[in-house]
Amino acid sequence: MPSLSPTMEQGNIVKWLKKEGEAVSAGDSLCEIETDKAVVTLDANDDGILAKIVVEEGAKNIKLGSLIGLMVEEGEDWKHVEIPKDVGAPPPVSKPPPVSKPAVPPQPSPQPQISSPARKEHTEGTPRFRLSPAARNILEKHSLDASQGTATGPRGIFTKEDALKLVELKQMGKITESRPAPTLSASVPPPATGGPSYPRPMIPPVSIPGQPNATGTFTEIPASNIRRVIAKRLTESKSTVPHAYATADCDLGAVLKVRQDLVKDDVKVSVNDFIIRAAAVTLKQMPGVNVSWDGEGPKQLPSVDISVAVATDKGLITPIIKDAAAKGVQEIADSVKVLSKKARDGKLLPEEYQGGSFSISNLGMFGIDEFAAVINPPQACILAVGRFRPVLKLTEDEEGNPQLRQHQLITVTMSSDSRVVDDELATRFLESFKANLENPMRLA
């Protein structure tokens, strides 16, 4: 099992493209492997015969370096090839056991304690109270026991007022002193059977903590390698990268007019293509945003490579428009179409989705007005784009008279890594991006 991406730790055998005993030439496709990014074809390095398929197609979570097949040179007896003893097929990955109800940890053996009237141990038929410090002092001073009274404090606490009532009753002769001699108790009291062992009052009732779903009440969904890596990287990003957010509204009126003119000339481009081009031009103007953080510090990136988020059945993947600042809108449109199709078909090559200096995620086609996206490390920024929508604005005509005019606006939100792109730089970037997008001539 080879490493087919920098972050790959294990792979799945999707399909074998050669059969045992079949001749193989250098460069021939042997099998399809699902990595943490995409489905990649494994090609043969040498001529020979595929003698043994060690790991059948459909096998999952095969660790890097595990033996998946054997090849022999032409003319050798491939039918009787032996699997090396020191390298065998990886053990099957077993499913995790169903989550069961957590076991109650054993209670530590109680140590011998000195009993006193004010801190009486719980015994059968005698309630145990939580005492406020003032109540404890009063009870000890007057040789009284809390069990002789009633706790009226919040959550069953025996308060100072409750203790003073006992003192009153004692002075009236209605109760007697409780003065047991302090003794060293070495015996372990019998465990309580009706509730928790700790002295927590049942007023109000103790809440029951949530428990995992019992086996059989849910359906386990197998996670692909891509889903696992997406979950891992998103968690790492949100927990280790200090995200900052800035939002701006952009007027698409001029872009929509240019797009209509291009359609008349049979040039088909989308609004997203203009957004990619505007971001590329702005990054070229402001190289301080075209950076990454590698764990030690910021790195200035020489080329503007924009990652475009594409939703697939297996998860989100970000193919890259290489050197986007040097491409026109139509060339960007052509690249996006080709890469998006390859992404959905699972045919992206590693160099087509690894790297990038800036990301764009557009949910406008799903009717989303605005949202904030998670940064894709080691990149420093990602631009989240919502749908364009009609908005009425009060403006002035040529004669200075107020009038209502309809504008097509989109909301963009940039998430930036505060370690390398501070709020001031992010704000200036959005100002320049807005100016470039609203004036398409700047994108030519």
Side-chain angles (χ1 to χ4, degrees):
M1 176 63 68
S3 176
L4 300 173
S5 81
T7 55
M8 178 179 173
E9 297 177 356
Q10 54 191 16
N12 301 338
I13 304 295
V14 178
K15 184 179 181 181
W16 280 99
L17 305 176
K18 295 289 184 180
K19 298 178 181 178
E20 291 183 358
E22 193 170 348
V24 177
S25 300
D28 284 357
S29 297
L30 290 174
C31 64
E32 292 179 348
I33 297 176
E34 182 189 9
T35 71
D36 56 345
K37 298 289 187 181
V39 177
V40 181
T41 301
L42 174 63
D43 297 332
N45 295 325
D46 302 299
D47 297 341
I49 296 174
L50 179 59
K52 181 70 176 176
I53 294 176
V54 179
V55 179
E56 298 293 335
E57 60 184 48
K60 298 182 181 297
N61 305 329
I62 311 303
K63 293 183 179 180
L64 296 186
S66 299
L67 186 66
I68 60 174
L70 287 171
M71 285 184 60
V72 297
E73 295 183 0
E74 292 184 10
E76 290 188 19
D77 184 6
W78 62 270
K79 294 183 179 180
H80 299 93
V81 66
E82 293 184 2
I83 299 177
K85 293 181 180 180
D86 56 336
V87 182
V93 179
S94 59
K95 282 190 175 182
V99 179
S100 60
K101 198 170 182 178
V104 178
Q107 296 294 329
S109 300
Q111 298 297 321
Q113 295 180 346
I114 299 292
S115 63
S116 68
R119 280 187 85 160
K120 200 171 187 180
E121 290 297 318
H122 174 77
T123 57
E124 188 174 355
T126 304
R128 179 174 176 179
F129 297 94
R130 290 193 299 172
L131 306 177
S132 70
R136 179 176 289 109
N137 291 334
I138 293 171
L139 293 176
E140 289 178 352
K141 182 178 179 181
H142 294 274
S143 301
L144 293 170
D145 193 284
S147 63
Q148 294 173 291
T150 303
T152 61
R155 300 190 69 81
I157 294 177
F158 199 91
T159 64
K160 174 183 176 182
E161 289 73 19
D162 299 329
L164 290 174
K165 286 181 183 178
L166 279 182
V167 174
E168 245 180 76
L169 293 173
K170 177 186 174 184
Q171 291 172 349
M172 294 169 62
K174 294 186 177 181
I175 60 172
T176 58
E177 291 185 3
S178 174
R179 191 187 288 274
T183 58
L184 181 65
S185 172
S187 61
V188 179
T193 57
S197 60
Y198 49 85
R200 187 173 180 181
M202 302 301 288
I203 305 171
V206 179
S207 61
I208 300 174
Q211 299 293 339
N213 290 332
T215 305
T217 62
F218 61 91
T219 302
E220 186 173 335
I221 303 174
S224 65
N225 285 349
I226 295 175
R227 287 287 183 189
R228 287 195 191 94
V229 171
I230 290 174
K232 180 181 177 182
R233 287 180 60 80
L234 287 178
T235 304
E236 288 176 351
S237 177
K238 287 295 286 185
S239 58
T240 62
V241 177
H243 284 56
Y245 306 97
T247 301
D249 287 332
C250 304
D251 193 331
L252 286 181
V255 164
L256 295 176
K257 186 176 183 307
V258 171
R259 185 168 174 253
Q260 289 175 352
D261 294 340
L262 291 174
V263 170
K264 294 176 183 177
D265 297 331
D266 203 26
V267 177
K268 296 181 180 180
V269 294
S270 68
V271 171
N272 199 51
D273 299 326
F274 281 95
I275 291 170
I276 296 171
R277 174 62 182 163
V281 169
T282 310
L283 288 168
K284 193 73 173 177
Q285 295 169 344
M286 302 180 65
V289 182
N290 197 53
V291 294
S292 67
W293 180 273
D294 66 352
E296 300 295 330
K299 282 188 176 180
Q300 181 70 59
L301 302 174
S303 177
V304 176
D305 299 329
I306 295 186
S307 303
V308 181
V310 176
T312 71
D313 294 337
K314 295 182 179 179
L316 201 68
I317 194 166
T318 51
I320 300 169
I321 310 297
K322 298 288 183 69
D323 200 14
K327 291 181 169 69
V329 175
Q330 186 173 358
E331 193 175 355
I332 288 174
D334 294 340
S335 298
V336 170
K337 289 174 186 174
V338 172
L339 291 171
S340 296
K341 185 177 187 308
K342 293 181 73 173
R344 294 188 181 98
D345 294 342
K347 300 297 183 183
L348 282 174
L349 300 176
E351 59 268 21
E352 292 175 325
Y353 58 79
Q354 293 173 7
S357 61
F358 187 93
S359 290
I360 295 177
S361 181
N362 191 335
L363 294 182
M365 65 284 294
F366 299 108
I368 302 301
D369 288 337
E370 61 178 287
F371 68 104
V374 181
I375 296 170
N376 184 23
Q379 296 177 12
C381 300
I382 182 170
L383 190 70
V385 183
R387 70 182 179 96
F388 61 89
R389 61 198 187 280
V391 176
L392 288 175
K393 282 191 172 184
L394 188 63
T395 58
E396 293 184 353
D397 59 17
E398 297 176 354
E399 298 177 357
N401 299 318
Q403 63 175 3
L404 279 175
R405 297 187 65 180
Q406 181 173 286
H407 297 259
Q408 296 290 338
L409 300 184
I410 61 164
T411 300
V412 296
T413 301
M414 188 165 84
S415 307
S416 55
D417 185 342
S418 296
R419 296 172 296 184
V420 283
V421 179
D422 58 28
D423 292 343
E424 187 269 340
L425 182 57
T427 301
R428 288 196 293 112
F429 176 87
L430 278 185
E431 288 177 348
S432 297
F433 171 82
K434 174 182 170 74
N436 289 329
L437 186 61
E438 292 180 349
N439 297 275
M441 292 304 295
R442 296 188 181 188
L443 308 180

